[in-house]
Amino acid sequence: MNPRSKRTDPGSPEEWMCHAESDLKLALLAAGHADTLVKAAPLLELLGADWGKYLSRPVPKAVRESLQRCERTGRPLGDAAFVSRIETMLGRALTPRKAGRKPLKKGK
């Protein structure tokens, strides 16, 4: 069994608050409220009330592979303009950088 699949209860008050805040945000999104990154109302209008029907639709292989790649890497899925907007909103880099340590400068 995958240890990550087990549900664990938060141990500290801080963890409880983090879970409660997360649950509240999800409830607000489901009710159509927006946050900084997600505007749920357009998606809810597009899909209607039958979320299960939407989720049971077949997903093309290329789309599924893109989603899985981004899920593995933790990188956002979208074109360069979208990723750039999200980086600006969050104030952090989301695009992959060159791997490894920076080379030492000569003379050191």
Side-chain angles (χ1 to χ4, degrees):
M1 177 188 268
N2 182 350
R4 296 178 75 185
S5 66
K6 289 183 180 179
R7 182 185 168 138
T8 58
D9 289 327
S12 68
E14 292 80 14
E15 289 179 47
W16 278 105
M17 290 306 295
C18 182
H19 282 263
E21 183 179 356
S22 176
D23 290 345
L24 177 60
K25 285 181 180 180
L26 288 173
L28 289 172
L29 287 174
H33 296 275
D35 73 359
T36 304
L37 295 176
V38 178
K39 292 175 180 47
L43 181 62
L44 295 173
E45 289 171 13
L46 177 69
L47 301 177
D50 200 349
W51 184 243
K53 182 178 177 183
Y54 174 76
L55 291 177
S56 65
R57 291 176 29 199
V59 179
K61 183 178 179 182
V63 172
R64 188 174 58 250
E65 288 173 352
S66 293
L67 287 168
Q68 289 171 339
R69 184 186 71 250
C70 290
E71 181 181 38
R72 275 192 312 273
T73 62
R75 303 279 183 208
L77 176 61
D79 62 16
F82 170 77
V83 174
S84 178
R85 273 196 331 267
I86 299 300
E87 287 178 325
T88 301
M89 292 170 77
L90 296 176
R92 62 180 292 200
L94 300 172
T95 53
R97 298 186 197 186
K98 187 175 178 181
R101 295 175 62 173
K102 292 182 181 180
L104 292 175
K105 293 182 181 179
K106 291 187 179 187
K108 287 195 171 190

